[in-house]
């Protein structure tokens, strides 16, 4: 955001709701004299001008330039007085009927009467510069807007409530205490008692551990924000589309006994224990002369290369074919691979149609034990009856969460920007610990701690280079 191209107090307006037929539409305005400017196009100007903050005024919006004073719409106006508003400025929210035409007409009328269009994220930006929200809370607003599951919303809401800001503040206090002790030793070196207790190495190492945990939290938060990519694959007619529909709890994919029915992948968002995931139903893997189906098979293979988790579906009535073994051989982790070596994409082997088979799945599991590759999880189910899908959902959740750090009660970082700043703070603290241990002058340790404080300040917005503000607020939609 170019925050030098306009006055922060300049009256601005934006449509805050989607331009689609709806019961209500909302136009937000903020800035100096914004209430007075709205009063110029309102049927009850005195009532609006005299309204207290956090009150609602009823009336009509009309065009004052019209000779007939033609009313545009019947509205309710929410009045917010500075500093007790979202932006810290005088604000008005016009609640009108939700037809796109009337919403745009009121918005254009405001632009003709003293307002300018708001930039994306400018309402939240003004809340930040007016001290109504720190940068972690501002970013949490964007997280909530983009959240894909209720769990994602809850995690972002914690940051909006200030839990991350509070944690950062506590870490900064510890760093300031260490800094004060060191500077006391530098200032009064002749005081032996001060020298003995000046440098609190224990507290600095405590900060180091807290910053490590904070940095590790980003892998969890990123999973809940961005989601995972899960690919259903397997031979034709194994029941992938049926399982896709069952996991989505809706009929999205065409289901047929005819081989090659699915010729291209389709996808949909689904939640596994609150973790959002893009679930892909793909073309069945088989040799075919059909060029269109061949293209679908190639796309399936490309998707599996990018997947976070593969659900390989096997028809339990037919057993494990050589084609199945070849695929699993290529994508699974060899049994000889040590645990500390990076594994391939995890695979969950799904035996479908178990309602039609008799102990075939257990026989296949015995066969797998003789092969040279390992499968993370094996599950038996029937996509037709739904039996076993609850277990599969739990297995998927466990597999996704296993790639991150364990769940913790402490607040987590909400963006890659925050992770980068926290990592830089951690590196500065670790460098300070090393410098003190190796006997470097305490001035060097002081510099490292000050650098760490600056990095933490970037997370909350105490230190705010212009390019950081541009990165944060330019992603927002209009009206926020």
């Amino acid at each position: 955001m170019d925050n030098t191209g306009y006055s922060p107090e300049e009256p601005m307006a934006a449509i805050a709701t989607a331009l689609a037929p709806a019961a209500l539409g909302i136009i937000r305005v903020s800035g100096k004299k914004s209430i007075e400017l709205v009063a110029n196009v309102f049927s009850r100007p005195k009532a609006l001008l005299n309204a207290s903050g956090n009150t609602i005024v009823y009336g009509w919006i009309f065009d004052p330039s019209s000779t007939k004073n033609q009313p545009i719409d019947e509205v309710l106006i929410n009045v917010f007085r500075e500093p007790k508003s979202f932006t810290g400025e005088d604000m008005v929210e016009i609640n009108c009927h939700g037809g796109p035409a009337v919403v745009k007409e009121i918005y254009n009328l405001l632009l003709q009467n003293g307002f300018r269009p708001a930039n994306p994220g400018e309402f939240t930006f003004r809340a930040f510069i007016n001290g109504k929200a720190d940068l972690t809370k501002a970013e949490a607003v964007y997280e909530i807007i983009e959240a894909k599951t209720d769990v994602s919303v809850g995690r972002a809401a914690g940051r909006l409530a200030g839990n991350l800001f509070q944690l950062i503040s506590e870490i900064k206090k510890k760093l300031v205490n260490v800094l004060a002790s060191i500077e006391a030793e530098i200032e009064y070196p002749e005081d032996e008692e001060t020298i003995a207790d000046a440098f609190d190495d224990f507290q600095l190492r405590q900060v180091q551990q807290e910053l490590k945990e904070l940095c590790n939290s980003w892998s969890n938060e990123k999973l809940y924000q961005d989601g995972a990519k899960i690919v259903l694959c397997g031979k034709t007619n194994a029941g992938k589309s049926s399982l896709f529909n069952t996991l989505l709890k809706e009929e999205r994919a065409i289901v047929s006994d005819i081989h090659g029915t699915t010729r291209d992948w389709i996808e949909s968002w689904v939640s596994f224990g609150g973790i959002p995931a893009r679930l892909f139903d793909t073309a069945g893997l088989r040799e075919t002369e059909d060029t269109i189906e061949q293209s679908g098979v190639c796309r399936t293979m490309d998707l599996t290369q990018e997947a976070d988790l593969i659900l390989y579906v096997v028809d339990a009535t037919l057993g494990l074919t050589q084609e199945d073994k070849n695929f699993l051989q290529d994508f699974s982790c060899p049994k000889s691979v040590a645990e500390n070596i990076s594994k391939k994409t995890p695979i969950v082997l799904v035996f479908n149609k178990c309602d039609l088979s008799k102990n075939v799945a257990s026989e296949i599991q015995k066969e797998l034990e003789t092969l040279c590759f390992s499968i993370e999880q094996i599950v038996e189910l029937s996509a037709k009856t739904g039996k076993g899908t609850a277990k599969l959902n739990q297995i998927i959740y466990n597999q996704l969460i296993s790639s991150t750090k364990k769940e913790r009660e402490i607040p987590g970082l909400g963006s890659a920007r925050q992770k980068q700043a926290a990592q830089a703070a951690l590196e500065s603290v670790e460098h300070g610990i090393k410098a003190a241990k190796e006997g470097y002058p305490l001035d060097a340790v002081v510099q490292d701690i000050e650098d760490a404080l600056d990095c933490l300040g970037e997370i909350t917005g105490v230190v705010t280079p212009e390019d950081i503000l541009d990165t944060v607020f330019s992603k927002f939609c209009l009206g926020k």
Side-chain angles (χ1 to χ4, degrees), residues 29-81:
V29 303
S30 182
K32 194 173 183 179
K33 295 185 177 180
S34 59
I35 297 176
E36 290 88 336
L37 291 174
V38 174
N40 292 335
V41 297
F42 188 55
S43 62
R44 301 174 60 211
K46 289 184 179 180
L48 182 58
L49 291 171
N50 295 329
S52 302
N54 302 316
T55 59
I56 300 175
V57 182
Y58 163 80
W60 288 77
I61 296 292
F62 72 97
D63 186 352
S65 65
S66 172
T67 56
K68 298 181 180 180
N69 285 334
Q70 183 74 26
I72 295 175
D73 194 21
E74 186 179 27
V75 300
L76 292 174
I77 294 183
N78 300 330
V79 181
F80 305 95
R81 298 280 182 179

Side-chain angles (χ1 to χ4, degrees), residues 234-249:
K235 291 188 62 179
T236 58
N237 223 24
K240 298 183 297 298
S241 295
S242 295
L243 182 56
F244 181 80
N245 290 340
T246 299
L247 293 174
L248 261 58
K249 299 179 182 178

Side-chain angles (χ1 to χ4, degrees), residues 54-271:
N54 302 316
T55 59
I56 300 175
V57 182
Y58 163 80
W60 288 77
I61 296 292
F62 72 97
D63 186 352
S65 65
S66 172
T67 56
K68 298 181 180 180
N69 285 334
Q70 183 74 26
I72 295 175
D73 194 21
E74 186 179 27
V75 300
L76 292 174
I77 294 183
N78 300 330
V79 181
F80 305 95
R81 298 280 182 179
E82 66 167 337
K84 296 181 179 181
S85 71
F86 175 70
T87 61
E89 305 171 332
D90 283 347
M91 282 187 67
V92 162
E93 290 186 351
I94 302 173
N95 295 264
C96 62
H97 291 95
V102 69
V103 173
K104 287 191 290 185
E105 187 172 359
I106 295 174
Y107 173 68
N108 290 329
L109 180 64
L110 294 174
L111 298 185
Q112 295 165 16
N113 287 272
F115 291 94
R116 66 159 176 80
N119 292 314
E122 190 169 353
F123 286 86
T124 309
F125 175 75
R126 290 195 182 184
F128 168 69
I129 63 174
N130 290 327
K132 304 298 290 186
D134 73 283
L135 214 51
T136 63
K137 292 182 180 180
E139 287 179 295
V141 172
Y142 178 77
E143 290 178 53
I144 290 175
I145 294 171
E146 295 292 311
K148 299 174 178 67
T149 69
D150 55 349
V151 177
S152 302
V153 170
R155 298 171 86 93
R159 285 183 282 276
L160 182 60
N163 62 12
L164 178 58
F165 177 83
Q166 182 63 33
L167 177 62
I168 296 296
S169 297
E170 292 171 1
I171 294 175
K172 289 172 68 176
K173 285 179 182 178
K174 293 176 182 178
L175 286 174
V176 169
N177 288 339
V178 175
L179 189 61
S181 299
I182 295 176
E183 289 182 339
E185 180 175 352
I186 295 174
E187 187 71 22
Y188 305 105
E190 70 283 354
D191 188 335
E192 295 182 1
E193 185 176 342
T194 303
I195 294 173
D197 301 321
F199 182 58
D200 191 348
D201 179 73
F202 172 77
Q203 194 167 32
L204 198 58
R205 290 186 181 278
Q206 189 178 44
V207 169
Q208 177 190 27
Q209 183 59 37
E210 290 176 356
L211 286 175
K212 282 183 179 179
E213 291 181 3
L214 190 61
C215 290
N216 290 337
S217 73
W218 172 234
S219 59
N220 255 5
E221 300 303 323
K222 189 174 188 298
L223 177 62
Y224 280 95
Q225 288 181 22
D226 298 344
K229 179 182 286 188
I230 301 176
V231 177
L232 279 164
C233 63
K235 291 188 62 179
T236 58
N237 223 24
K240 298 183 297 298
S241 295
S242 295
L243 182 56
F244 181 80
N245 290 340
T246 299
L247 293 174
L248 261 58
K249 299 179 182 178
E250 61 176 283
E251 297 297 320
R252 277 291 309 278
I254 298 174
V255 177
S256 169
D257 291 334
I258 301 173
H259 288 269
T261 299
T262 303
R263 296 192 170 202
D264 199 359
W265 54 263
I266 61 173
E267 65 169 296
S268 186
W269 283 99
V270 63
S271 172

Side-chain angles (χ1 to χ4, degrees), residues 265-332:
W265 54 263
I266 61 173
E267 65 169 296
S268 186
W269 283 99
V270 63
S271 172
F272 294 101
I275 299 176
R278 290 167 64 196
L279 184 65
F280 292 82
D281 180 26
T282 62
L285 302 174
R286 68 166 181 166
E287 295 291 334
T288 176
E289 299 297 325
D290 189 315
T291 55
I292 297 177
E293 192 177 348
Q294 286 177 358
S295 178
V297 172
C298 290
R299 292 187 181 189
T300 296
M301 298 305 293
D302 290 339
L303 280 172
T304 55
Q305 298 285 352
E306 303 169 359
D308 296 304
L309 179 65
I310 296 173
L311 304 182
Y312 191 85
V313 184
V314 174
D315 185 340
T317 64
L318 300 178
L320 206 62
T321 67
Q322 187 58 48
E323 290 86 349
D324 295 326
K325 295 176 183 179
N326 291 340
F327 178 92
L328 297 173
Q329 176 72 47
D330 291 338
F331 281 85
S332 297

Side-chain angles (χ1 to χ4, degrees), residues 243 311-315 348-352 378-379 381 392:
L243 182 56
L311 304 182
Y312 191 85
V313 184
V314 174
D315 185 340
V348 174
L349 190 56
V350 180
F351 295 130
N352 189 27
I378 299 172
V379 62
L381 58 77
L392 177 60

